[in-house]
Amino acid sequence: MDYWLAEIITIGNEVLSGKTVNTNASHIGRRLTSLGFTVRRITVIMDDVNEIASAFREAIDRRPKVIISSGGLGPTWDDKTAEGLAKALGVDLELNKTAFNMILEKYTKRNIPLTEERKKMAYMPYGAIPVENNEGIAPGIYIYHNNIDILAVPGVPREMENVLENFINKMLRNKPNLKYLEDFIYVENVMESALAPYVKELVKKYDIYIKTHPKSYELSRPILEIQIAGSGREEEEIKAKIEKVKNELVDVIKKLNGIIRNSL
Amino acid sequence: MDYWLAEIITIGNEVLSGKTVNTNASHIGRRLTSLGFTVRRITVIMDDVNEIASAFREAIDRRPKVIISSGGLGPTWDDKTAEGLAKALGVDLELNKTAFNMILEKYTKRNIPLTEERKKMAYMPYGAIPVENNEGIAPGIYIYHNNIDILAVPGVPREMENVLENFINKMLRNKPNLKYLEDFIYVENVMESALAPYVKELVKKYDIYIKTHPKSYELSRPILEIQIAGSGREEEEIKAKIEKVKNELVDVIKKLNGIIRNSL
């Protein structure tokens, strides 16, 4: 298999303390996966300049094709992503004129003065390109560094999704020419441990990804969701491979007295 | 403030690809926070021995008091947490007799033979102590290493919660004698950027954690959730401080023509 690695960074104490479930990372993960990327790591860190700088530096050192962070771009004292990213890249934080004009326009349209806190959202690492945010104020921050597409989006889900799409459509340079496909089988009455040796064999035989997700009790009432996933250049080829694996799995399941279900 | 740092590691490709939302990390984060820990980092990694070993090694190097991982303890080919943890600690993976007996008992009770895949769940890093899993088969893995409490729990939520509680009640050595408290204010009609300078000042004045979570549009219909949180040795002291901060915030909100709401 051919890999286009991606990393996701989530910035926010509320995710660390469990107050907020990290649905932003799931959304970004799904979107990147659908484009053909393999997400290799998600890192959740505090709203702290040094933590943010470390997380970006560590991700850059692992050399993925794309790094996407969410959170920490707002007007408050604890929004420190721009500063942390600048530190990671070893460049200055500066007032970005394009970003400044984007923000100024939004406030002046409504006759709201541009305070220091509002202006703060226009500060970006040197060399950054602001990404339009049609759902809020703070623009995204895009930098192409060491052949890596680096993007920082706001943490508010609606804004995160919007800025991410604007980035994918207009700026993303490392576009994998890969398709990703997946299919599922739902099974009752087969223990995960009983299926395990067959799955292991099929993974080897087809060089494909198969994962069993137990959804109930292994012993008394086993229910499994079996995920079969592959990526490659030719959609038809992956589809055919997944179909073959599915058929072999269904045969095994029947042999083990399993019942195929239409859904969970 | 006094910090008892904790780290969480989530192991599973399905979380990286966005198929599964990381509610396990939220649960563990909330539970650790309620005990007085500060969760400093959550790392999500692939089901890969080297990735698992790196993630544990990196977490150990940051010297938290506790590290809790979830996922990768099952019977299938891609369950590699025990092996990765052993590699991180530089010790052998070995058949743990206590774990073996726990597993054997569960299967034999139901007249199910112990295959290689089922026996696999009894392999643990040298020196590990198995943690009872009352909701499934695979025991948790507990190791006290370099003054850090390290725990690996299964990924199935019901099992994760059970093993975590068994660990907290019977094994956790680094128990913070800290209380954590938080309170919220819900506000309509105040922009996050308008409140920002006041919040910054209060954070400094009281050495407390205040975070504004925007829940709507900054310009047209701003709704904010304001979180005020603190931890310390004396519950009454933290409570009083949070109350003071709340009162000051309410005054500011009224000055800014904000409306206090009972909920979001």
Side-chain angles (χ1 to χ4, degrees), chain B:
Chain B
M1 278 200 267
D2 205 354
Y3 289 114
W4 283 68
L5 297 177
E7 295 219 11
I8 298 169
I9 297 172
T10 305
I11 296 147
N13 298 1
E14 69 278 13
V15 176
L16 292 167
S17 69
K19 181 186 171 332
T20 302
V21 178
N22 200 355
T23 50
N24 275 3
S26 312
H27 177 89
I28 298 168
R30 269 197 309 277
R31 195 66 183 91
L32 289 174
T33 303
S34 75
L35 289 172
F37 287 101
T38 299
V39 180
R40 182 196 184 149
R41 193 180 279 230
I42 299 170
T43 308
V44 186
I45 43 161
M46 303 170 101
D47 303 283
D48 174 277
V49 177
N50 293 323
E51 289 285 308
I52 296 168
S54 302
F56 273 111
R57 240 183 266 124
E58 291 162 21
I60 290 167
D61 285 348
R62 286 185 291 261
R63 309 213 131 275
K65 298 279 189 192
V66 59
I67 300 170
I68 297 180
S69 79
S70 73
L73 293 186
T76 64
W77 66 279
D78 60 347
D79 286 307
K80 290 168 179 161
T81 301
E83 199 184 334
L85 179 54
K87 199 170 174 178
L89 300 174
V91 300
D92 284 338
L93 192 71
E94 55 162 38
L95 188 80
N96 183 295
K97 278 183 193 149
T98 316
F100 179 78
N101 287 330
M102 285 175 170
I103 294 164
L104 184 68
E105 197 195 333
K106 286 180 183 174
Y107 283 109
T108 45
K109 244 190 200 165
R110 293 183 180 257
N111 289 316
I112 296 168
L114 195 71
T115 59
E116 269 313 303
E117 286 74 24
R118 288 165 190 150
K119 198 173 153 186
K120 175 181 170 296
M121 296 184 271
Y123 281 86
M124 297 192 171
Y126 173 81
I129 301 169
V131 186
E132 185 67 63
N133 176 353
N134 308 101
E135 292 286 336
I137 308 289
I141 300 173
Y142 168 60
I143 294 183
Y144 191 69
H145 172 84
N146 279 5
N147 303 318
I148 306 169
D149 281 303
I150 302 176
L151 172 74
V153 303
V156 176
R158 202 182 53 241
E159 301 182 28
M160 174 273 295
E161 293 182 22
N162 177 260
V163 174
L164 179 64
E165 291 310 309
N166 289 338
F167 160 75
I168 290 170
N169 293 329
K170 295 174 202 158
M171 293 165 177
L172 177 63
R173 288 225 237 167
N174 294 319
K175 284 195 189 183
N177 49 357
L178 292 178
K179 302 278 175 218
Y180 172 85
L181 289 175
E182 61 180 13
D183 206 344
F184 297 91
I185 307 176
Y186 307 102
V187 184
E188 217 177 302
N189 206 35
V190 175
M191 284 182 282
E192 190 184 25
S193 59
L195 203 61
Y198 300 97
V199 167
K200 192 178 179 176
E201 211 173 278
L202 284 172
V203 167
K204 230 192 246 166
K205 181 172 165 190
Y206 287 100
D207 183 25
I208 202 163
Y209 180 71
I210 308 175
K211 183 148 184 170
T212 48
H213 303 279
K215 294 292 171 187
S216 183
Y217 294 87
E218 157 105 351
L219 293 178
S220 53
R221 187 175 150 267
I223 294 175
L224 291 178
E225 178 188 55
I226 308 172
Q227 181 187 9
I228 307 140
S231 58
R233 288 179 202 284
E234 300 299 333
E235 191 164 339
E236 285 311 311
E237 227 169 75
I238 320 161
K239 220 184 237 171
K241 202 198 239 187
I242 289 176
E243 205 49 40
K244 256 191 208 165
V245 173
K246 263 187 89 173
N247 290 338
E248 288 210 30
L249 273 169
V250 168
D251 287 346
V252 169
I253 289 159
K254 285 183 182 158
K255 206 173 79 181
L256 296 170
N257 295 316
I259 302 154
I260 307 281
R261 291 164 43 145
N262 290 324
S263 65
L264 273 181

